[in-house]
Amino acid sequence: MTTDFFQVEALFSEQEIDFRDRVRRFVQEQCMPVIVEHFDKGTFPLELIPQMAEMGLFGVHIEGYGCRKTSHTAYGLACQELGRCDSGLRAMFSVQNSLVMYPIHAFGSEEQRRTWLPKLRTAQAVGCFGLSEPDFGSDPGGMSTRAVFRGDRYRINGRKMWITNGPIAQLALIWARTEDGIRGFLVETSTPGFRATAIRHKFGYRTSPTALIELRDCEVEPGAMLPGGSGLKAVFSCLNHARYGVACSALGSAVACYETARDFAAEREVFGKPIAAYQLVQERLAIMLMEITKAQLINCRLGRLLDAGSVRHQQISMAKLNAVREAMKIARHARDILGGRGILADHHVIRHLCDLEAMSALEGTESMHTLVIGQDVTGIPAFY
Ligand SMILES: Cc1cc2nc3c(=O)[nH]c(=O)nc-3n(C[C@H](O)[C@H](O)[C@H](O)COP(=O)(O)OP(=O)(O)OC[C@H]3O[C@@H](n4cnc5c(N)ncnc54)[C@H](O)[C@@H]3O)c2cc1C
């Protein structure tokens, strides 16, 4: 039985439900059987990427160039289903769509769109988004990566840290400081001077390939710069989509943990009866369901605000903060209900818990989103 206490499904269109169900089937049939093994090894199931492309999962924010646009709500439901299995899968989907294809479409030249969007849609190319640096994560405006125009080319120097898809990408959208402020550059990862090194020993986002990217005198043509977007405004417009994706992914993880714990509690007998019969276990399950329901309603409303083009970034901050924070609490309740088994990857809960730890940092930390809301409430920025 699908968890939907307040009949939130009634708020989605038939097309949105159909899209979600296709992703759900893909997750159930193709992803779930392989994910524990990949989590254990810290590898990404690369063979799933062409299958995702075949299902039309890349290019969902775009109409044209062979892409079929879905609603933001449908995108959120896909993130939820992928996140229900594994956050690394969802991250691959979100980065390709929200952080690479969307900015190329929104800020790119016609030539850039024609060159890259069909390749990204069909997964002939995987993209990554290079914003964060070793010394500038929460404060991307301080970035030290520079693109200097010399002769007839830009020369890029700098380092980008924590870059999802970085080790497997053919294309990197690198944000760098120029004479005209912060600009995005489409850099082929085979360009001399570009190096992506996989970050190892990660205990969150284990399946997701994450890189440290170093750019040393990496030269690109002027045509590599996105002409339409400059400054942090362009950056944040991409992150808005991706943060909504994180909120939905965290909700998917929470649902997976809740359903695992609910089913386990019904079967596991201790002191002669199922643990579901004990009040303390029931209290946990009730709290988990209540928080899932709140997040479902917030995320659904956020999807609709995005669809209507009337969203405020503070609303996205609240949804991301709420979904990840509550999902972490739900995962901990589930871990407890499962007893010792709660730490086994094949019961899934511990995988989600580790991934949620990473999700509380990426796409803006819990503290930064709290400060965004604090500023909205008081009118006073407390970031610095
Ligand atoms: C798995 C993973 C994948 C990622 N993928 C990408 C990607 O694809 N592309 C990309 O560009 N980046 C990516 N990131 C980077 C991510 O966005 C940053 O990690 C995040 O923005 C936080 O930056 P930081 O790690 O440098 O932490 P810091 O900014 O150093 O923050 C450290 C702590 O200080 C707190 N803090 C900072 N400033 C303040 C303040 N003013 N007031 C109160 N507290 C404060 C923070 O909340 C945090 O608790 C990824 C990160 C992870 C972990």
Side-chain angles (χ1 to χ4, degrees):
M1 186 182 66
T2 311
T3 302
D4 186 8
F5 198 67
F6 262 65
Q7 298 167 23
V8 180
E9 179 155 330
L11 304 175
F12 304 131
S13 70
E14 245 177 69
Q15 290 97 315
E16 286 164 347
I17 292 172
D18 182 57
F19 185 67
R20 180 203 64 188
D21 288 349
R22 280 199 299 125
V23 177
R24 184 174 285 178
R25 273 196 301 278
F26 167 68
V27 163
Q28 211 49 45
E29 290 165 15
Q30 309 296 328
C31 311
M32 286 307 294
V34 300
I35 207 63
V36 173
E37 195 64 23
H38 280 286
F39 179 85
D40 231 12
K41 289 196 282 194
T43 52
F44 187 86
L46 292 169
E47 68 281 5
L48 296 179
I49 296 177
Q51 294 183 46
M52 290 166 84
E54 225 163 89
M55 288 174 64
L57 292 189
F58 300 137
V60 296
H61 298 312
I62 294 166
E63 199 58 65
Y65 308 91
C67 306
R68 267 190 70 192
K69 190 176 174 162
T70 66
S71 66
H72 288 92
T73 305
Y75 164 77
L77 290 173
C79 287
Q80 192 176 316
E81 293 307 316
L82 292 165
R84 201 171 163 140
C85 172
D86 179 73
S87 309
L89 275 179
R90 194 281 315 166
M92 195 279 144
F93 168 75
S94 277
V95 169
Q96 186 88 341
N97 278 298
S98 304
L99 296 178
V100 182
M101 296 183 80
Y102 166 76
I104 292 174
H105 188 252
F107 309 122
S109 65
E110 193 49 39
E111 196 186 333
Q112 289 168 338
R113 291 178 188 165
R114 282 182 199 278
T115 306
W116 287 110
L117 292 177
K119 284 187 191 160
L120 292 158
R121 177 180 64 78
T122 52
Q124 283 172 62
V126 169
C128 67
F129 180 86
L131 173 68
S132 305
E133 299 185 356
D135 295 328
F136 298 96
S138 300
D139 177 21
M143 71 173 63
S144 61
T145 298
R146 281 188 163 56
V148 178
F149 196 62
R150 287 247 171 84
D152 58 352
R153 297 173 149 247
Y154 279 97
R155 188 176 288 180
I156 309 178
N157 278 287
R159 293 195 301 159
K160 296 290 176 184
M161 178 84 172
W162 298 117
I163 308 308
T164 302
N165 290 355
I168 60 168
Q170 286 74 40
L171 179 68
L173 170 51
I174 298 291
W175 295 91
R177 196 176 289 289
T178 70
E179 281 193 339
D180 295 332
I182 292 170
R183 306 297 298 241
F185 291 85
L186 296 176
V187 184
E188 293 191 47
T189 58
S190 56
T191 310
F194 185 102
R195 192 165 79 163
T197 311
I199 297 175
R200 297 183 56 232
H201 309 304
K202 277 186 298 138
F203 278 77
Y205 263 41
R206 274 188 68 70
T207 65
S208 179
T210 315
L212 168 69
I213 291 178
E214 292 165 287
L215 300 122
R216 290 202 187 132
D217 290 332
C218 184
E219 291 190 0
V220 293
E221 308 266 345
M225 188 175 77
L226 295 180
S230 68
L232 287 180
K233 202 168 164 219
V235 171
F236 288 138
S237 79
C238 311
L239 290 176
N240 277 346
H241 288 99
R243 283 174 179 158
Y244 168 55
V246 174
C248 295
S249 182
L251 174 57
S253 300
V255 170
C257 291
Y258 164 74
E259 291 180 351
T260 304
R262 180 198 62 196
D263 296 349
F264 181 85
E267 280 170 21
R268 174 72 174 165
E269 292 199 4
V270 181
F271 295 111
K273 56 183 179 180
I275 57 171
Y278 294 109
Q279 288 182 356
L280 292 177
V281 173
Q282 289 192 6
E283 185 191 29
R284 285 184 193 276
L285 291 170
I287 290 170
M288 292 157 88
L289 179 59
M290 189 165 65
E291 290 306 332
I292 284 170
T293 304
K294 289 186 208 167
Q296 283 173 331
L297 289 165
I298 291 178
N299 288 2
C300 174
R301 177 69 185 141
L302 183 59
R304 290 291 175 236
L305 289 171
L306 282 157
D307 287 333
S310 56
V311 77
R312 296 169 64 238
H313 73 87
Q314 294 89 343
Q315 293 166 327
I316 299 176
S317 283
M318 186 180 282
K320 193 263 179 185
L321 174 64
N322 172 70
V324 176
R325 185 150 74 185
E326 295 310 321
M328 283 170 83
K329 289 187 201 158
I330 288 165
R332 289 200 185 108
H333 281 308
R335 214 285 311 136
D336 187 281
I337 288 174
L338 264 67
R341 289 168 181 80
I343 65 163
L344 294 175
D346 36 13
H347 284 264
H348 307 299
V349 169
I350 195 70
R351 290 193 299 106
H352 288 295
L353 192 49
C354 291
D355 285 351
L356 286 161
E357 286 290 347
M359 282 155 86
S360 77
L362 57 87
E363 304 279 359
T365 65
E366 197 170 314
S367 301
M368 297 314 282
H369 288 299
T370 305
L371 292 175
V372 168
I373 299 167
Q375 179 179 4
D376 199 48
V377 173
T378 64
I380 307 167
F383 300 93
Y384 27 76

